[in-house]
Amino acid sequence: MNPEELLNSPQEPSKPAAESPLVSLERDLKLFDGSIREVATEIMVEGLSQYPIFIAHQHELQLGEVILDRHDLNSTWSIHASTLEEFLERGVIKKELRERFVDTYKNPNKFICVFVVTPEGANFVFVPYQ
């Protein structure tokens, strides 16, 4: 008997692997690339911050300003715009870790800084603009 036969009975075909939520996030970020870049540029040009942060989530979140609502756009993720300063003020980033964040922050003209919030947790990712 083959090991595969032990794992999958002929009557029950194996289930396809669940798609990672990051795959759908990548699709949405590509779709909204221009809008996100425009908001990032406005944040920097208006002097609000040199560190724009975009929050991607699939549930209710009280951080930043909604710029792309998944319900309105029939997409998978909602995107909020925020800044390093708001993250410090709200305690999302501890003040003593500010310099570490700034040192790892990538060029905002080339990368989207995304704070991805999922039920499992949250983390920063940097996604290149198209």
Side-chain angles (χ1 to χ4, degrees):
M1 180 175 271
N2 293 327
E4 295 83 18
E5 293 175 315
L6 293 172
L7 297 174
N8 300 318
S9 69
Q11 294 83 14
E12 285 185 30
S14 63
K15 294 180 185 176
E19 180 180 83
S20 165
L22 296 180
V23 172
S24 63
L25 176 58
E26 184 178 30
R27 267 195 309 265
D28 283 0
L29 289 175
K30 284 180 182 177
L31 185 63
F32 303 127
D33 182 89
S35 300
I36 293 171
R37 184 184 288 231
E38 188 177 316
V39 172
T41 301
E42 282 180 34
I43 288 170
M44 293 183 293
V45 168
E46 291 179 12
L48 299 173
S49 179
Q50 291 306 302
Y51 305 96
I53 299 171
F54 294 89
I55 304 138
H57 62 92
Q58 296 177 315
H59 53 280
E60 295 304 313
L61 190 68
Q62 300 299 318
L63 183 64
E65 303 257 340
V66 178
I67 60 166
L68 300 163
D69 186 294
R70 66 187 177 100
H71 301 292
D72 294 342
L73 300 168
N74 198 24
S75 62
T76 307
W77 294 82
S78 290
I79 308 290
H80 291 202
S82 186
T83 62
L84 169 60
E85 292 76 8
E86 181 182 10
F87 271 57
L88 291 168
E89 183 181 302
R90 307 271 305 268
V92 179
I93 296 175
K94 295 178 182 175
K95 292 185 189 325
E96 58 269 17
L97 296 177
R98 181 188 189 285
E99 288 308 311
R100 188 166 134 195
F101 179 83
V102 168
D103 289 345
T104 59
Y105 190 87
K106 295 189 180 205
N107 182 338
N109 295 308
K110 296 181 180 180
F111 291 88
I112 307 167
C113 175
V114 185
F115 187 64
V116 183
V117 180
T118 65
E120 293 79 28
N123 209 344
F124 287 97
V125 293
F126 291 89
V127 179
Y129 285 112
Q130 293 186 32

